Amino acid sequence: MNITSAKFEISNSNVKKCPATCRHEYAFIGRSNVGKSSLINMLTGHKGLAMTSSTPGKTMLINHFLINDGWYIVDLPGYGYAQRGKKQQAEIKKIIEDYILEREQMTNLFLLIDSRHNPQKIDLEFMEWLGENGIPFSIVFTKLDKLSSAAGKIQTAKYLEALKQQWEELPPVFYTSSTDRRGRTELLDYIEELNKLPLPCSEPTDE
């Protein structure tokens, strides 16, 4: 798939205020500082599309980006940022869960995992919650350029082994780097296939 256009459309904290369109949406989520904005920019080929920051926890809204005038990339708030107070953490949790559970246009959730770290309890518990709620998702390992080829294989295999203790069948897995652009073709080809699926919604009318 070629990305010919990518533009920011809307940010909000309420799933009911998301675009009233019947288009496939692909949401990206992960722990704070997992490289989510950099990955979105790499996929779209637009360096400044999603805001990147060295400070974790910056994305606190649902951000919609219209791609090729036909489907959306959705940048969701990162979870697990310890510097947020309990009240703000609860607010972010509600924003995330409301979107994931209520947004029928969401065709797939891409869960980003930093390949440099050992399996994290918060990620495993989040995946378990996704499974319990029947949410279609894929795993995207990020920052593989930070590891040697051998170390990357060891770390990602360690994560998948941990998952196999909970899951009979693993979701689709992608291996990426925003720096050297690995995984871009595979992710976009996967989205292209999913775009062929029917949606349970319909375009609003003026009647």
Side-chain angles (χ1 to χ4, degrees), residues 1 24 26 71 107 189-199:
M1 178 199 296
H24 288 282
Y26 302 94
W71 53 277
T107 304
D189 285 350
Y190 184 60
I191 289 173
E192 187 172 34
E193 285 302 308
L194 293 180
N195 274 339
K196 298 174 184 177
L197 297 174
L199 279 167

Side-chain angles (χ1 to χ4, degrees), residues 5-36:
S5 66
K7 58 186 178 183
F8 168 77
E9 185 157 308
I10 190 171
S11 289
N12 66 81
S13 59
N14 187 338
V15 66
K16 292 181 172 56
K17 295 181 180 178
C18 289
T21 56
C22 187
R23 289 173 170 156
H24 288 282
E25 296 185 4
Y26 302 94
F28 288 73
I29 195 169
R31 284 184 296 117
S32 297
N33 209 27
V34 75
K36 184 159 46 72

Side-chain angles (χ1 to χ4, degrees), residues 83-206:
Q83 299 303 314
R84 290 188 179 124
K86 287 187 176 180
K87 182 180 178 182
Q88 193 175 51
Q89 286 184 25
E91 291 172 351
I92 294 297
K93 185 173 183 285
K94 178 172 172 50
I95 291 171
I96 292 170
E97 291 185 356
D98 284 355
Y99 174 85
I100 291 173
L101 295 176
E102 297 180 21
R103 189 67 172 168
E104 60 183 3
Q105 291 94 326
M106 190 191 76
T107 304
N108 192 71
L109 180 73
F110 289 102
L111 175 58
L112 277 56
I113 302 290
D114 190 329
S115 61
R116 300 173 296 175
H117 302 315
N118 289 329
Q120 303 289 305
K121 181 181 178 182
I122 190 170
D123 291 328
L124 297 175
E125 288 179 344
F126 184 65
M127 282 184 248
E128 189 174 353
W129 178 81
L130 292 174
E132 290 170 351
N133 287 280
I135 305 300
F137 75 97
S138 305
I139 295 171
V140 180
F141 287 109
T142 64
K143 304 187 180 183
L144 278 159
D145 62 287
K146 308 294 185 185
L147 298 170
S148 68
S149 177
K153 289 177 182 178
I154 291 170
Q155 280 299 103
T156 54
K158 192 184 300 183
Y159 225 112
L160 297 180
E161 282 302 315
L163 283 178
K164 287 176 183 176
Q165 296 176 23
Q166 294 179 313
W167 296 79
E168 293 182 7
E169 185 178 346
L170 295 181
V173 179
F174 298 91
Y175 303 86
T176 72
S177 163
S178 298
T179 301
D180 62 26
R181 295 165 64 88
R182 80 181 74 173
R184 183 177 188 268
T185 298
E186 291 81 1
L187 273 169
L188 290 179
D189 285 350
Y190 184 60
I191 289 173
E192 187 172 34
E193 285 302 308
L194 293 180
N195 274 339
K196 298 174 184 177
L197 297 174
L199 279 167
C201 56
S202 59
E203 290 285 1
T205 64
D206 297 327

